[in-house]
């Protein structure tokens, strides 16, 4: 099932995108029993937003061996290396990634994003972890490399408004598509040039380990997002470019790149 969050003439709603290109509106949020309102929209007539508004986004650094090598910042971590991105960094498909004023070294990072379901996750074991997953979407952990290096920690470098595109939808049944989240092709193109290409089978720490590890530190609430790491090939993006992040079974998340806009409202198109 593909869960979307969308804007329509009456406001914003969650819905289910079917194979005919129709969005069936649902009551309330998608966790638990889904109830349809009976209202349907053609996908072309609505605007897709970020498929979820998480209370927090938990990122995982250095989780692909080749990416560790290209960053040249030491060995792979012995345990998952986690950090937070604020909810205000989240934008949706088609929204613009905004380059901070004066910055010339902002990079793309395509990542498999795990969305936590209704039960949440607190102190779960790896064996219990996957029962906390609602579904999967695509994330782009946009990062300002100069700030990441100079600050020595990553909050500012990865926390700017618009630095966490998510979408275009949440897929709740990858198995039904014959796909395994532990082995999905993952790519990123910039203006049609292939920059990143890998598979989630290359993760140093797999999904059960990540979810369990994070849940020992902080409670993962329904709708929270875990970004699982990025393969090698990260590189700079500049205003006017187009970034396409694609994951097998999940589609493509496309965002433009724009310059800083101080008049814009944080999360206005989330």
């Amino acid at each position: 099932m593909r869960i979307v969050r969308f804007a329509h003439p009456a406001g914003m709603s969650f819905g289910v995108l079917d194979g005919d290109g129709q969005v069936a509106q649902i009551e309330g949020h998608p966790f638990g029993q889904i109830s349809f309102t009976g209202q349907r929209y053609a996908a072309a007539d609505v605007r897709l937003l970020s498929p979820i508004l998480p209370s927090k986004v938990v990122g995982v650094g250095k989780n692909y061996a080749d990416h560790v090598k290209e960053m040249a910042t030491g060995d792979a971590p012995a345990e998952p290396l986690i950090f937070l991105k604020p909810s205000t960094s989240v934008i949706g498909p088609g929204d613009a990634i905004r380059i901070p004023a004066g910055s010339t070294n902002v990079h793309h990072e395509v990542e498999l994003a795990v969305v936590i379901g209704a039960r949440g996750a607190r102190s779960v074991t790896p064996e219990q972890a996957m029962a906390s997953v609602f579904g999967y979407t695509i994330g782009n952990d946009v990062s300002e490399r100069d700030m990441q290096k100079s600050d020595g920690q990553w909050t500012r470098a990865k926390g700017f408004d618009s630095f966490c595109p998510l979408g275009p939808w949440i897929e709740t049944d990858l198995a039904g598509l014959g796909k395994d989240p532990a082995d999905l092709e993952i790519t990123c193109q910039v203006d049609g040039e292939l920059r990143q290409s890998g598979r989630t089978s290359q993760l140093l720490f797999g999904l059960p380990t990540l979810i369990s590890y994070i849940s020992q530190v902080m409670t993962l609430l329904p709708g929270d997002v875990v970004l699982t790491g990025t393969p090698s090939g990260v590189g700079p993006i500049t205003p006017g470019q187009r970034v396409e992040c694609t994951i097998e079974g999940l589609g493509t998340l496309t965002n433009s790149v724009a310059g800083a806009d101080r008049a814009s409202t944080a999360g206005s198109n989330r």
Side-chain angles (χ1 to χ4, degrees):
M1 184 178 294
R2 288 181 168 177
I3 301 293
V4 297
R5 195 172 66 90
F6 64 103
H8 53 88
M12 290 184 289
S13 302
F14 285 101
V16 173
L17 179 64
D18 64 26
D20 296 325
Q22 295 282 313
V23 176
Q25 186 181 40
I26 64 176
E27 297 277 5
H29 64 72
F31 303 126
Q33 184 66 41
I34 288 181
S35 177
F36 292 97
T37 67
Q39 181 66 53
R40 296 176 65 85
Y41 300 89
D45 294 336
V46 301
R47 179 166 56 92
L48 295 185
L49 308 173
S50 62
I52 198 70
L53 290 177
S55 75
K56 55 186 172 293
V57 177
V58 185
V60 180
K62 300 183 178 181
N63 203 23
Y64 284 80
D66 287 347
H67 179 56
V68 174
K69 292 178 183 178
E70 75 175 348
M71 295 301 290
T73 55
D75 296 334
E79 297 180 311
L81 177 61
I82 62 174
F83 59 91
L84 292 174
K85 293 174 81 83
S87 60
T88 47
S89 67
V90 174
I91 58 173
D95 294 344
I97 300 166
R98 298 201 170 274
I99 305 299
S103 176
T104 59
N105 200 17
V106 173
H107 285 203
H108 57 81
E109 292 191 9
V110 60
E111 312 207 3
L112 175 65
V114 179
V115 182
I116 300 299
R119 69 172 61 191
R122 181 181 182 187
S123 298
V124 299
T125 66
E127 293 73 24
Q128 297 167 329
M130 299 307 289
S132 297
V133 174
F134 176 66
Y136 304 90
T137 189
I138 304 169
N140 186 351
D141 176 23
V142 181
S143 306
E144 212 290 355
R145 295 298 186 212
D146 293 337
M147 295 178 189
Q148 187 175 1
K149 182 177 180 180
S150 66
D151 290 359
Q153 55 81 34
W154 301 353
T155 301
R156 182 167 67 125
K158 292 174 175 284
F160 282 94
D161 292 349
S162 81
F163 269 28
C164 189
L166 294 175
W169 43 69
I170 301 168
E171 176 56 64
T172 64
D173 186 19
L174 274 174
L177 300 175
K179 306 296 182 183
D180 181 353
D183 187 25
L184 300 174
E185 183 181 25
I186 176 171
T187 65
C188 179
Q189 296 187 49
V190 177
D191 286 346
E193 174 196 0
L194 181 64
R195 296 271 190 92
Q196 294 182 266
S197 179
R199 300 194 71 87
T200 57
S201 56
Q202 298 168 327
L203 288 170
L204 297 176
F205 301 102
L207 305 189
T209 298
L210 293 179
I211 295 167
S212 174
Y213 183 88
I214 294 166
S215 77
Q216 311 301 321
V217 179
M218 65 192 80
T219 299
L220 291 168
L221 300 174
D224 281 352
V225 170
V226 176
L227 299 178
T228 57
T230 196
S232 62
V234 299
I237 52 176
T238 57
Q241 291 187 312
R242 177 184 176 92
V243 183
E244 295 176 297
C245 297
T246 301
I247 298 181
E248 183 182 357
L250 300 179
T252 298
L253 170 64
T254 302
N255 296 92
S256 59
V257 184
D261 182 2
R262 296 301 183 187
S264 65
T265 302
S268 60
N269 197 19
R270 295 165 60 212

